[in-house]
mmCIF file of all heavy atoms in Angstrom:
data_model
loop_
_atom_site.group_PDB
_atom_site.id
_atom_site.type_symbol
_atom_site.label_atom_id
_atom_site.label_comp_id
_atom_site.label_asym_id
_atom_site.label_seq_id
_atom_site.Cartn_x
_atom_site.Cartn_y
_atom_site.Cartn_z
ATOM 1 N N ILE J 1452 187.385 83.426 334.353
ATOM 2 C CA ILE J 1452 186.095 83.742 333.745
ATOM 3 C C ILE J 1452 185.024 82.700 334.107
ATOM 4 O O ILE J 1452 183.849 82.947 333.840
ATOM 5 C CB ILE J 1452 186.203 83.850 332.197
ATOM 6 C CG1 ILE J 1452 186.413 82.479 331.546
ATOM 7 C CG2 ILE J 1452 187.290 84.813 331.801
ATOM 8 C CD1 ILE J 1452 186.357 82.528 330.050
ATOM 9 N N TYR J 1453 185.426 81.638 334.696
ATOM 10 C CA TYR J 1453 184.511 80.546 335.021
ATOM 11 C C TYR J 1453 184.107 80.565 336.506
ATOM 12 O O TYR J 1453 184.978 80.664 337.368
ATOM 13 C CB TYR J 1453 185.104 79.190 334.688
ATOM 14 C CG TYR J 1453 185.453 78.979 333.253
ATOM 15 C CD1 TYR J 1453 186.758 79.121 332.809
ATOM 16 C CD2 TYR J 1453 184.474 78.595 332.341
ATOM 17 C CE1 TYR J 1453 187.092 78.935 331.465
ATOM 18 C CE2 TYR J 1453 184.789 78.419 331.016
ATOM 19 C CZ TYR J 1453 186.093 78.581 330.586
ATOM 20 O OH TYR J 1453 186.408 78.372 329.252
ATOM 21 N N ALA J 1454 182.829 80.434 336.733
ATOM 22 C CA ALA J 1454 182.429 79.960 338.039
ATOM 23 C C ALA J 1454 182.773 78.483 338.140
ATOM 24 O O ALA J 1454 182.766 77.764 337.113
ATOM 25 C CB ALA J 1454 180.920 80.141 338.265
ATOM 26 N N MET J 1455 183.078 78.031 339.327
ATOM 27 C CA MET J 1455 183.513 76.646 339.513
ATOM 28 C C MET J 1455 182.664 75.952 340.570
ATOM 29 O O MET J 1455 182.142 76.584 341.470
ATOM 30 C CB MET J 1455 184.987 76.593 339.940
ATOM 31 C CG MET J 1455 185.945 77.198 338.909
ATOM 32 S SD MET J 1455 185.994 76.303 337.352
ATOM 33 C CE MET J 1455 186.571 74.684 337.895
ATOM 34 N N GLY J 1456 182.575 74.662 340.439
ATOM 35 C CA GLY J 1456 181.809 73.908 341.410
ATOM 36 C C GLY J 1456 182.279 72.478 341.546
ATOM 37 O O GLY J 1456 183.154 72.008 340.809
ATOM 38 N N TRP J 1457 181.736 71.822 342.549
ATOM 39 C CA TRP J 1457 181.985 70.409 342.783
ATOM 40 C C TRP J 1457 180.654 69.670 342.841
ATOM 41 O O TRP J 1457 179.699 70.132 343.483
ATOM 42 C CB TRP J 1457 182.741 70.188 344.087
ATOM 43 C CG TRP J 1457 184.176 70.635 344.054
ATOM 44 C CD1 TRP J 1457 184.658 71.838 344.438
ATOM 45 C CD2 TRP J 1457 185.300 69.867 343.643
ATOM 46 N NE1 TRP J 1457 186.020 71.876 344.279
ATOM 47 C CE2 TRP J 1457 186.453 70.679 343.789
ATOM 48 C CE3 TRP J 1457 185.434 68.559 343.140
ATOM 49 C CZ2 TRP J 1457 187.734 70.230 343.463
ATOM 50 C CZ3 TRP J 1457 186.717 68.128 342.819
ATOM 51 C CH2 TRP J 1457 187.844 68.938 342.971
ATOM 52 N N PHE J 1458 180.627 68.533 342.202
ATOM 53 C CA PHE J 1458 179.503 67.623 342.226
ATOM 54 C C PHE J 1458 179.998 66.272 342.732
ATOM 55 O O PHE J 1458 181.199 65.990 342.728
ATOM 56 C CB PHE J 1458 178.885 67.477 340.833
ATOM 57 C CG PHE J 1458 178.216 68.713 340.309
ATOM 58 C CD1 PHE J 1458 178.977 69.789 339.885
ATOM 59 C CD2 PHE J 1458 176.835 68.799 340.225
ATOM 60 C CE1 PHE J 1458 178.386 70.945 339.384
ATOM 61 C CE2 PHE J 1458 176.213 69.941 339.734
ATOM 62 C CZ PHE J 1458 176.989 71.006 339.333
ATOM 63 N N ARG J 1459 179.056 65.430 343.090
ATOM 64 C CA ARG J 1459 179.437 64.069 343.459
ATOM 65 C C ARG J 1459 178.329 63.094 343.045
ATOM 66 O O ARG J 1459 177.178 63.460 342.935
ATOM 67 C CB ARG J 1459 179.731 63.950 344.978
ATOM 68 C CG ARG J 1459 178.480 64.066 345.833
ATOM 69 C CD ARG J 1459 178.889 64.072 347.313
ATOM 70 N NE ARG J 1459 177.751 63.982 348.201
ATOM 71 C CZ ARG J 1459 177.813 64.075 349.515
ATOM 72 N NH1 ARG J 1459 178.993 64.288 350.116
ATOM 73 N NH2 ARG J 1459 176.710 63.966 350.252
ATOM 74 N N GLN J 1460 178.745 61.875 342.843
ATOM 75 C CA GLN J 1460 177.801 60.838 342.464
ATOM 76 C C GLN J 1460 178.215 59.513 343.096
ATOM 77 O O GLN J 1460 179.348 59.047 342.880
ATOM 78 C CB GLN J 1460 177.674 60.691 340.959
ATOM 79 C CG GLN J 1460 176.554 59.765 340.533
ATOM 80 C CD GLN J 1460 176.211 59.917 339.059
ATOM 81 O OE1 GLN J 1460 177.026 60.354 338.263
ATOM 82 N NE2 GLN J 1460 174.991 59.526 338.704
ATOM 83 N N ALA J 1461 177.325 58.945 343.842
ATOM 84 C CA ALA J 1461 177.515 57.641 344.446
ATOM 85 C C ALA J 1461 176.766 56.598 343.625
ATOM 86 O O ALA J 1461 175.776 56.907 342.965
ATOM 87 C CB ALA J 1461 177.062 57.624 345.885
ATOM 88 N N PRO J 1462 177.203 55.342 343.689
ATOM 89 C CA PRO J 1462 176.497 54.286 342.948
ATOM 90 C C PRO J 1462 175.026 54.238 343.354
ATOM 91 O O PRO J 1462 174.680 54.254 344.535
ATOM 92 C CB PRO J 1462 177.227 53.008 343.358
ATOM 93 C CG PRO J 1462 178.602 53.491 343.710
ATOM 94 C CD PRO J 1462 178.402 54.831 344.343
ATOM 95 N N GLY J 1463 174.142 54.202 342.349
ATOM 96 C CA GLY J 1463 172.751 54.105 342.599
ATOM 97 C C GLY J 1463 172.070 55.400 342.991
ATOM 98 O O GLY J 1463 170.872 55.415 343.271
ATOM 99 N N LYS J 1464 172.828 56.499 342.987
ATOM 100 C CA LYS J 1464 172.269 57.799 343.337
ATOM 101 C C LYS J 1464 172.440 58.782 342.205
ATOM 102 O O LYS J 1464 173.297 58.633 341.352
ATOM 103 C CB LYS J 1464 172.917 58.327 344.621
ATOM 104 C CG LYS J 1464 172.598 57.533 345.887
ATOM 105 C CD LYS J 1464 173.131 58.268 347.094
ATOM 106 C CE LYS J 1464 172.713 57.565 348.379
ATOM 107 N NZ LYS J 1464 173.190 58.288 349.582
ATOM 108 N N GLU J 1465 171.613 59.806 342.263
ATOM 109 C CA GLU J 1465 171.742 60.873 341.302
ATOM 110 C C GLU J 1465 172.946 61.744 341.615
ATOM 111 O O GLU J 1465 173.416 61.799 342.747
ATOM 112 C CB GLU J 1465 170.465 61.753 341.306
ATOM 113 C CG GLU J 1465 169.212 61.036 340.860
ATOM 114 C CD GLU J 1465 168.002 61.935 340.846
ATOM 115 O OE1 GLU J 1465 168.139 63.137 341.139
ATOM 116 O OE2 GLU J 1465 166.896 61.435 340.565
ATOM 117 N N ARG J 1466 173.413 62.438 340.593
ATOM 118 C CA ARG J 1466 174.495 63.404 340.813
ATOM 119 C C ARG J 1466 173.997 64.501 341.706
ATOM 120 O O ARG J 1466 172.907 65.042 341.529
ATOM 121 C CB ARG J 1466 174.956 63.950 339.450
ATOM 122 C CG ARG J 1466 176.140 64.906 339.537
ATOM 123 C CD ARG J 1466 176.543 65.368 338.171
ATOM 124 N NE ARG J 1466 175.476 66.100 337.490
ATOM 125 C CZ ARG J 1466 175.532 66.510 336.240
ATOM 126 N NH1 ARG J 1466 176.595 66.267 335.510
ATOM 127 N NH2 ARG J 1466 174.499 67.168 335.714
ATOM 128 N N GLU J 1467 174.822 64.891 342.672
ATOM 129 C CA GLU J 1467 174.503 65.904 343.624
ATOM 130 C C GLU J 1467 175.384 67.149 343.426
ATOM 131 O O GLU J 1467 176.584 67.022 343.248
ATOM 132 C CB GLU J 1467 174.674 65.403 345.053
ATOM 133 C CG GLU J 1467 173.764 64.266 345.450
ATOM 134 C CD GLU J 1467 174.028 63.791 346.868
ATOM 135 O OE1 GLU J 1467 175.195 63.553 347.208
ATOM 136 O OE2 GLU J 1467 173.049 63.695 347.638
ATOM 137 N N PHE J 1468 174.771 68.292 343.510
ATOM 138 C CA PHE J 1468 175.490 69.563 343.481
ATOM 139 C C PHE J 1468 175.974 69.844 344.886
ATOM 140 O O PHE J 1468 175.146 70.068 345.789
ATOM 141 C CB PHE J 1468 174.564 70.636 342.947
ATOM 142 C CG PHE J 1468 175.183 72.004 342.799
ATOM 143 C CD1 PHE J 1468 176.527 72.163 342.528
ATOM 144 C CD2 PHE J 1468 174.374 73.122 342.896
ATOM 145 C CE1 PHE J 1468 177.091 73.424 342.376
ATOM 146 C CE2 PHE J 1468 174.939 74.385 342.748
ATOM 147 C CZ PHE J 1468 176.275 74.548 342.490
ATOM 148 N N VAL J 1469 177.279 69.863 345.063
ATOM 149 C CA VAL J 1469 177.841 69.991 346.386
ATOM 150 C C VAL J 1469 178.095 71.460 346.770
ATOM 151 O O VAL J 1469 177.719 71.912 347.828
ATOM 152 C CB VAL J 1469 179.151 69.177 346.504
ATOM 153 C CG1 VAL J 1469 179.820 69.393 347.877
ATOM 154 C CG2 VAL J 1469 178.873 67.701 346.261
ATOM 155 N N THR J 1470 178.794 72.136 345.850
ATOM 156 C CA THR J 1470 179.208 73.512 346.178
ATOM 157 C C THR J 1470 179.624 74.221 344.921
ATOM 158 O O THR J 1470 180.010 73.642 343.936
ATOM 159 C CB THR J 1470 180.392 73.485 347.191
ATOM 160 O OG1 THR J 1470 180.782 74.809 347.515
ATOM 161 C CG2 THR J 1470 181.587 72.733 346.632
ATOM 162 N N GLY J 1471 179.533 75.566 344.957
ATOM 163 C CA GLY J 1471 179.946 76.375 343.847
ATOM 164 C C GLY J 1471 180.568 77.660 344.360
ATOM 165 O O GLY J 1471 180.323 78.105 345.465
ATOM 166 N N ILE J 1472 181.408 78.251 343.492
ATOM 167 C CA ILE J 1472 182.107 79.471 343.853
ATOM 168 C C ILE J 1472 182.123 80.397 342.654
ATOM 169 O O ILE J 1472 182.301 79.953 341.510
ATOM 170 C CB ILE J 1472 183.532 79.153 344.338
ATOM 171 C CG1 ILE J 1472 184.232 80.378 344.895
ATOM 172 C CG2 ILE J 1472 184.377 78.468 343.265
ATOM 173 C CD1 ILE J 1472 185.528 80.075 345.662
ATOM 174 N N SER J 1473 181.938 81.659 342.898
ATOM 175 C CA SER J 1473 181.916 82.649 341.832
ATOM 176 C C SER J 1473 183.300 82.884 341.260
ATOM 177 O O SER J 1473 184.314 82.397 341.769
ATOM 178 C CB SER J 1473 181.309 83.954 342.337
ATOM 179 O OG SER J 1473 182.101 84.504 343.389
ATOM 180 N N ARG J 1474 183.343 83.633 340.169
ATOM 181 C CA ARG J 1474 184.588 83.827 339.408
ATOM 182 C C ARG J 1474 185.730 84.329 340.265
ATOM 183 O O ARG J 1474 186.866 83.863 340.142
ATOM 184 C CB ARG J 1474 184.342 84.809 338.255
ATOM 185 C CG ARG J 1474 183.507 84.220 337.120
ATOM 186 C CD ARG J 1474 183.088 85.306 336.181
ATOM 187 N NE ARG J 1474 182.437 84.751 334.999
ATOM 188 C CZ ARG J 1474 181.814 85.495 334.090
ATOM 189 N NH1 ARG J 1474 181.747 86.826 334.230
ATOM 190 N NH2 ARG J 1474 181.250 84.923 333.056
ATOM 191 N N LEU J 1475 185.462 85.290 341.117
ATOM 192 C CA LEU J 1475 186.496 85.878 341.943
ATOM 193 C C LEU J 1475 186.577 85.248 343.310
ATOM 194 O O LEU J 1475 187.449 85.634 344.123
ATOM 195 C CB LEU J 1475 186.308 87.380 342.061
ATOM 196 C CG LEU J 1475 186.341 88.151 340.740
ATOM 197 C CD1 LEU J 1475 186.148 89.649 341.002
ATOM 198 C CD2 LEU J 1475 187.682 87.904 340.020
#
């Protein structure tokens, strides 16, 4: 039921949206 994604954060940087995938 969840869309899923990956984020990343390096020291001194904002969180970045890397990728996402739909439910199926």
Side-chain angles (χ1 to χ4, degrees):
I1452 72 173
Y1453 299 99
M1455 299 296 298
W1457 289 93
F1458 293 72
R1459 71 186 189 186
Q1460 188 165 22
K1464 292 189 175 182
E1465 296 181 2
R1466 183 178 61 186
E1467 297 179 310
F1468 182 30
V1469 176
T1470 181
I1472 187 168
S1473 61
R1474 289 169 173 170
L1475 299 180

